[in-house]
Amino acid sequence: MKLIGFNHADSIMNQRIFFWGNIYNVIGIIKDYHHESLKNNFEPMIYRLIPNVRTFYSIRYNASTNTNQLISEINDLWVKHFPARPFEYFFAEEYYNRQYKDDRQYGIIFGMFSILAIIIACLGLFGLASFSSMQRTKEVGIRKVLGASVFKIVQIFSIEYLKLMLIAIIIGVPICYYIMDNWLQNFAYHISIYWWLIILPAVLLVLISLITISSNAIKSGNTNPVDSLKYE
């Protein structure tokens, strides 16, 4: 309506417009709606009646309606008026949702690989922490003899890994933001990337890593210092 030059619905009603070689009388205006997926912006649409040409009939019904009964009634009407043509139908909602099939599949695949990557990373971190604690068995024993608590030993083990994780987060966050922002640009309508969407996963990653590391550190800290000092 606005592209044609009218700012209000009342001003265009019953006006005659030229479109694709014909003159049409405007009988109604509808609000903008997404004819395609949200990857695309609103498109200007003109609905016109073309005599002797029929493609689809659209039927709007209440969600509480018995769908099977409704389809049966429509089928009876179709057979009555178009006996020579088969009755075929589809739901616009299902047809519309197909546009997001690839995005849903990407979401499932990336989700599965993310979980798998976290599990593998935790296993690797657990193995590295175990190896590190074995190498520092005597050190842990000496610290315990000198009065270090289990919490202090866990703290010593954790700080080294926290430094590495901090470096990884500093490198990874800008890359993550850049990739997410570029992907969202493919959609005409998309969410904003809030700071907590990136910081929260980083915090969760640190917590998971600390739990993995602490399990080994606590085990080493609870070992009898005499056994630790005898360790070869």
Side-chain angles (χ1 to χ4, degrees):
M1 179 188 71
K2 292 181 179 179
L3 286 175
I4 294 174
F6 295 88
N7 294 322
H8 302 285
D10 294 337
S11 61
I12 195 175
M13 289 296 293
N14 298 317
Q15 295 290 334
R16 296 175 66 81
I17 61 172
F18 181 80
F19 181 70
W20 275 22
N22 294 293
I23 296 177
Y24 295 94
N25 184 43
V26 179
I27 62 172
I29 299 294
I30 61 173
K31 293 181 180 180
D32 291 336
Y33 72 97
H34 290 285
H35 188 71
E36 297 182 353
S37 74
L38 295 179
K39 293 181 179 180
N40 305 315
N41 208 333
F42 291 117
E43 291 188 358
M45 304 278 295
I46 291 181
Y47 290 91
R48 55 202 176 108
L49 178 63
I50 304 176
N52 302 321
V53 175
R54 296 290 183 268
T55 53
F56 297 102
Y57 289 98
S58 298
I59 298 176
R60 183 178 181 180
Y61 67 96
N62 196 309
S64 60
T65 305
N66 187 320
T67 306
N68 293 329
Q69 182 180 351
L70 178 64
I71 293 173
S72 178
E73 292 174 358
I74 296 172
N75 182 48
D76 293 339
L77 289 172
W78 182 271
V79 172
K80 178 180 178 181
H81 294 282
F82 308 101
R85 300 186 63 181
F87 175 66
E88 297 177 350
Y89 69 93
F90 64 89
F91 293 96
E93 182 180 7
E94 295 177 0
Y95 188 80
Y96 184 83
N97 288 335
R98 288 179 195 170
Q99 300 173 105
Y100 301 104
K101 182 180 179 181
D102 290 341
D103 296 304
R104 290 194 182 95
Q105 288 179 340
Y106 287 144
I108 293 172
I109 291 172
F110 279 110
M112 292 174 62
F113 275 101
S114 296
I115 293 172
L116 184 62
I118 291 172
I119 293 173
I120 294 174
C122 287
L123 290 174
L125 189 60
F126 182 82
L128 183 62
S130 298
F131 179 72
S132 177
S133 63
M134 288 175 61
Q135 286 186 320
R136 302 174 67 177
T137 301
K138 287 189 176 182
E139 177 189 341
V140 172
I142 294 172
R143 288 183 181 276
K144 288 210 64 176
V145 169
L146 295 176
S149 63
V150 175
F151 176 77
K152 184 65 177 179
I153 293 172
V154 172
Q155 186 180 13
I156 294 171
F157 274 80
S158 300
I159 287 176
E160 297 179 2
Y161 292 97
L162 280 175
K163 291 178 181 178
L164 296 175
M165 283 187 284
L166 182 61
I167 295 172
I169 290 172
I170 292 173
I171 296 173
V173 165
I175 296 174
C176 178
Y177 178 86
Y178 176 77
I179 293 174
M180 288 177 63
D181 185 63
N182 281 350
W183 179 71
L184 287 173
Q185 295 308 315
N186 294 324
F187 295 83
Y189 298 88
H190 56 78
I191 64 171
S192 300
I193 303 178
Y194 299 104
W195 63 269
W196 58 267
L197 288 174
I198 296 178
I199 299 301
L200 182 60
V203 172
L204 290 175
L205 179 63
V206 171
L207 289 176
I208 293 172
S209 301
L210 285 177
I211 292 172
T212 305
I213 297 166
S214 298
S215 61
N216 278 299
I218 292 172
K219 182 179 178 181
S220 298
N222 287 324
T223 304
N224 191 321
V226 176
D227 296 332
S228 299
L229 292 174
K230 289 181 179 179
Y231 177 78
E232 296 294 345

